[in-house]
Amino acid sequence: MDQQAVAHDLCAFIRTSPSQFQVVQSIRARLEPAGFVCVAEQDPWTVAPGSALIICRNASSVVAVRVGDEVTPESLRFQLVACHPDSPSFKLKAQPEIAGPGGYRRLDVEPYGGMIDYSWFDRPLSLAGRVLVRTACGIESRLYAPDRDLCVIPSMAVHLQRDVNQGFAPNRARDLMPLWSAGALGEGGFVAMVAADLGVEVEDVLSWDLYLANRVPACVWGAADEFVSGPKLDDLQCVHAALCAFGAARNERAVTVFACLDNEEVGSGTKQGALSTLLSDALERLATQLGATREQYLRALARSFLVSADNAQAVHPAHDELYDAHNRCVLNGGPVIKEAASQKYTTDAVSRAVFAEICARADVPCQTYANRSDLRGGSTLGNLSNMQVSVHAVDIGLPQLAMHSAWETAGALDSAWGLAALRAFYEADLRIYGAERVELG
Ligand code: ZN
């Protein structure tokens, strides 16, 4: 794929991935035709050199692994990329309808993560996630993402808030409930709609994890096609680049791992998040299945390397004063190595050198990012995952604007740069000797 084709493929990936549950489905849809087999955590696994497995937890996190043909218990090591499938949105409550005034019906939602509230106003929205339904045998989960727009969060007319352009502070419990009906639908209409969409009886709709979703298709744009915009670029741009790299890479001497861990936007502290046992459970079971002892598994971790891939903040065209003068990144400048003295990013001198060297060898430009020294900046899943599975690690991202807006913007070339860098990482013959020496093959 050329660079533009990768950006267009990202747009297609975003279109099929409106919530973390559909992201997992999109990942499986790309890996399974390539020979990956989905195994359940409750079942026994058979793993051998050459195995290609997908492990899901909660249907919203994925750990996919490919075992190189030459991997032995003695030589075992993991080359991992971690990213996240969730993005800030609004989550539907269990009693979802708000009636009135008049015949209006709105949906009762609460914030999931730290979004830019104003970006959610006055745009067509839909819902996406999963619905639990009653079946003859018990309960079953169904993916739900109707292919139509369902609601809007309407602004107030400027005539009724003359100061709106001097400061905008919507109340999340009052102003951010999307309008869903003007009066045609009555009480219970929401569950009736979901039941009809899923082809089940109204009383068989039991529960849901549903989020507001922006269905406007992501697109490549600009006079020179330099930009890509769409919902959920954080972190689907990294998910897509890492997934493409993982699918294409071959490394017979390592276990390559693609981990997409849910709930980063709300702190990762769930059974399927970066703070959970998902990654360590998967890696340890894998090692055991490959015949490694506990000692060999721990030695494998000491030889392993994690790239935590989560988008980075590119310099804003109107506010370059908010960025460090030198450690800043721009669109289409390639992957960004993020570093913070607070250790909110996992990057240290060893991991920065390793990743920068991999990029250099692959002819991929690479940038550095640090917060302006008097600003706090963001956090990500790398250091949290690293508390559970402690390995050498670097935090990277692709540069973007408008992070956590309902419509984000990035550079159209950076997906291809990210793919090339991560493929080179997966394929590198990485030999790690503590913190003293790393051979790159
Ligand atoms: Zn992110």
Side-chain angles (χ1 to χ4, degrees), residues 84 86 234-235 264-265 309-311 379-380 403-404:
H84 66 90
D86 58 322
D234 171 15
D235 188 28
E264 191 277 339
E265 299 294 355
D310 195 1
N311 266 7
S379 60
T380 179
M403 189 176 282
H404 292 191

Side-chain angles (χ1 to χ4, degrees), residues 108-157:
D108 195 352
V109 297
E110 61 178 325
Y112 174 89
M115 73 289 295
I116 300 174
D117 287 353
Y118 69 70
S119 69
W120 288 82
F121 281 80
D122 302 331
R123 61 168 63 248
L125 296 168
S126 191
L127 290 163
R130 67 176 169 187
V131 175
L132 275 289
V133 299
R134 184 185 293 119
T135 65
C137 313
I139 296 165
E140 196 175 282
S141 178
R142 302 273 184 88
L143 289 176
Y144 184 65
D147 191 20
R148 62 191 190 281
D149 295 316
L150 292 171
C151 49
V152 159
I153 304 172
S155 289
M156 276 222 304

Side-chain angles (χ1 to χ4, degrees), residues 24-47:
V24 167
Q25 186 189 40
S26 299
I27 291 167
R28 290 183 58 176
R30 287 184 176 222
L31 291 180
E32 286 176 352
F36 282 79
V37 177
C38 203
V39 293
E41 286 194 283
Q42 65 270 23
D43 293 339
W45 303 348
T46 307
V47 186

